[in-house]
Amino acid sequence: RYFQVARCFRDEDLRADRQPEFTQLDMEMSFVEEDDVFAAWERVLGEVFAEVLGETLTQPFPRMRWSEAMDRYGSDKPDLRIPLELKDARAFAEGCGFGVFQSALASGGNVSVLVVPAARELSRKDLTQLEDVAKAEGAKGLAWWKASAAGGSGPMARFCADGKAPGLMQSISASEGDTCLFVADRYLVTKKSLGAVRLAVGRSWLQQAQEGAASKPARKFLWVTHFPMFQHDAQSGTWASEHHPFTAPEDWTMGGDEPDLAAMASRAYDLVYNGWELGSGSVRIHRADVQQRVFQILGLSPEEQQQKFGFLLEALSFGAPPHAGFALGLDRCVALALGLDNIRDVVAFPKTASATDLMCGAPSVVSPSQLEEVHVRTVLPPS
């Protein structure tokens, strides 16, 4: 087993919760399962929050499979402070007569709905802005209905006439005056777009509720487990690893001779805090035959496997212990624990959006002698 504080450098886009240079708490342990990893980190976080902030975290943290998180929240990092869930509306869509819904279902898609309570009144301006949020995630539009057993109002009202309204309200747990927001599209587009709408509605709601509140902020932790093993690139027709190619599958047989790669689950997991990813990890592949099968699915020939990963396959062939790991971003954890949205506020020398350090003036030009010391040679492009 090892546990380390690692200084990391990554070439990635600079969002509010990311920096090219950050500090990571990292671990890898042999002869463990997910439960062992979760217990270790819950103990660490529980003791730190108690000692530093004087708060007791509710443990154990809840757990949820990726598929359930997408179904209920439209996100692989759901903010559990928001008491809104997505509901399935396929039964209504099949018989409502709305061509857009029926077309989506006929092509294997999905129809889902987000029910916003009447207490959270949405204006026409709000609905327009929420439609833009949905479209930004790939949805073609956002249909809405003001629920009422008498038929309701809004663009969807005519499809809820003739006595359909009470049954719809019961199936999606809607009450009189609630605003029901529908999306019909491919499964992931439907869920992700409504998940983004849920966040937009819920976080503004939370902000209003917390303004002036004297109580401590709510802290909702969640382990999201069993992410997809692979993701498909429709343009190239190839498969890639959802997490990384060394992540163990849930089913060590890899689905037999004719596996359903789209449905195959992995043993990858994320720790989520108030809708933000704190860290991620997985149970690793410790068998050479499974690792070779994964490489094969990813399109690596036997020759390429030996050329790029021969050392690993040889090591695994001698017998490796089952093992798992996890890493947590320390800067992000500190920022979120303090209620900050940007980790630049807790980093000593933060980088700007162009990856420039304004305090140190980095990156800067280095001399040829300095390059020679680290055996680096630069080649200038022709002018």
Side-chain angles (χ1 to χ4, degrees):
R1 301 182 177 190
Y2 76 74
F3 307 86
Q4 67 174 354
V5 180
R7 196 65 177 164
C8 301
F9 301 87
R10 286 186 182 171
D11 181 15
E12 59 184 3
D13 58 311
L14 296 182
R15 287 174 270 173
D17 63 335
R18 302 191 178 204
Q19 282 275 291
E21 180 182 358
F22 61 96
T23 304
Q24 183 172 273
L25 303 183
D26 184 33
M27 60 114 87
E28 199 89 22
M29 301 192 295
S30 60
F31 300 106
V32 293
E33 302 284 342
E34 288 91 338
D35 288 348
D36 303 292
V37 175
F38 298 167
W41 281 96
E42 288 174 14
R43 178 181 175 185
V44 168
L45 290 168
E47 293 187 6
V48 168
F49 272 73
E51 182 175 340
V52 177
L53 298 175
E55 298 182 26
T56 300
L57 300 181
T58 301
Q59 295 184 357
F61 299 158
R63 305 175 189 182
M64 186 180 299
R65 292 178 72 100
W66 175 90
S67 55
E68 182 184 352
M70 295 304 299
D71 272 340
R72 294 173 60 186
Y73 303 107
S75 172
D76 58 10
K77 47 181 183 293
D79 190 338
L80 298 186
R81 296 173 300 171
I82 301 171
L84 301 175
E85 292 191 22
L86 279 55
K87 302 291 184 180
D88 187 273
R90 284 176 293 184
F92 164 73
E94 287 172 350
C96 71
F98 187 22
V100 173
F101 285 4
Q102 293 173 335
S103 176
L105 293 179
S107 61
N110 181 273
V111 181
S112 292
V113 59
L114 177 71
V115 179
V116 181
R120 177 66 170 92
E121 185 68 32
L122 296 176
S123 66
R124 290 298 179 95
K125 181 181 178 181
D126 292 332
L127 291 168
T128 299
Q129 291 175 337
L130 292 176
E131 183 172 22
D132 291 339
V133 170
K135 287 181 176 179
E137 293 295 329
K140 298 178 181 66
L142 184 70
W144 64 274
W145 176 57
K146 194 90 164 187
S148 173
S153 60
M156 289 294 299
R158 63 192 178 101
F159 301 105
C160 302
D162 302 325
K164 296 188 183 77
L168 172 60
M169 291 174 65
Q170 183 178 11
S171 67
I172 63 176
S173 303
S175 302
E176 289 281 334
D178 292 350
T179 304
C180 306
L181 307 173
F182 296 83
V183 170
D185 213 304
R186 299 188 307 277
Y187 174 82
L188 283 180
V189 172
T190 299
K191 296 299 183 180
K192 287 183 178 180
S193 56
L194 271 182
V197 170
R198 174 183 175 272
L199 272 184
V201 172
R203 285 189 169 168
S204 65
W205 203 356
L206 286 173
Q207 187 175 2
Q208 293 174 10
Q210 291 174 355
E211 287 178 355
S215 59
K216 292 181 179 180
R219 303 194 187 278
K220 296 289 187 178
F221 289 88
L222 171 70
W223 291 105
V224 178
T225 68
H226 298 91
F227 278 71
M229 186 74 180
F230 302 105
Q231 56 180 322
H232 188 251
D233 186 330
Q235 290 186 336
S236 64
T238 59
W239 293 88
S241 295
E242 178 76 23
H243 190 55
H244 58 60
F246 315 108
T247 302
E250 181 181 23
D251 176 11
W252 287 97
T253 69
M254 297 289 290
D257 295 332
E258 298 182 1
D260 183 354
L261 299 182
M264 192 177 295
S266 74
R267 295 179 70 179
Y269 37 80
D270 281 0
L271 178 59
V272 177
Y273 167 78
N274 287 359
W276 298 84
E277 177 202 328
L278 273 189
S280 63
S282 66
V283 174
R284 322 299 193 193
I285 295 173
H286 65 280
R287 287 171 42 183
D289 61 329
V290 175
Q291 188 65 74
Q292 287 174 307
R293 183 76 181 277
V294 170
F295 287 154
Q296 180 184 11
I297 292 171
L298 298 179
L300 294 181
S301 66
E303 293 75 23
E304 289 177 305
Q305 293 182 32
Q306 286 300 318
Q307 179 184 359
K308 297 178 179 180
F309 301 104
F311 65 94
L312 173 63
L313 295 173
E314 183 179 6
L316 295 180
S317 70
F318 286 105
H323 55 292
F326 183 81
L328 176 148
L330 182 59
D331 313 274
R332 188 181 302 179
C333 186
V334 171
L336 295 175
L338 296 176
L340 304 172
D341 291 331
N342 199 315
I343 68 172
R344 287 199 293 267
D345 295 333
V346 297
V347 175
F349 299 96
K351 309 300 183 289
T352 66
S354 61
T356 300
D357 186 331
L358 298 180
M359 297 288 289
C360 301
S364 60
V365 177
V366 296
S367 67
S369 60
Q370 290 174 303
L371 291 175
E372 187 176 355
E373 288 179 5
V374 292
H375 306 284
V376 172
R377 181 178 61 184
T378 60
V379 178
L380 297 177
S383 57

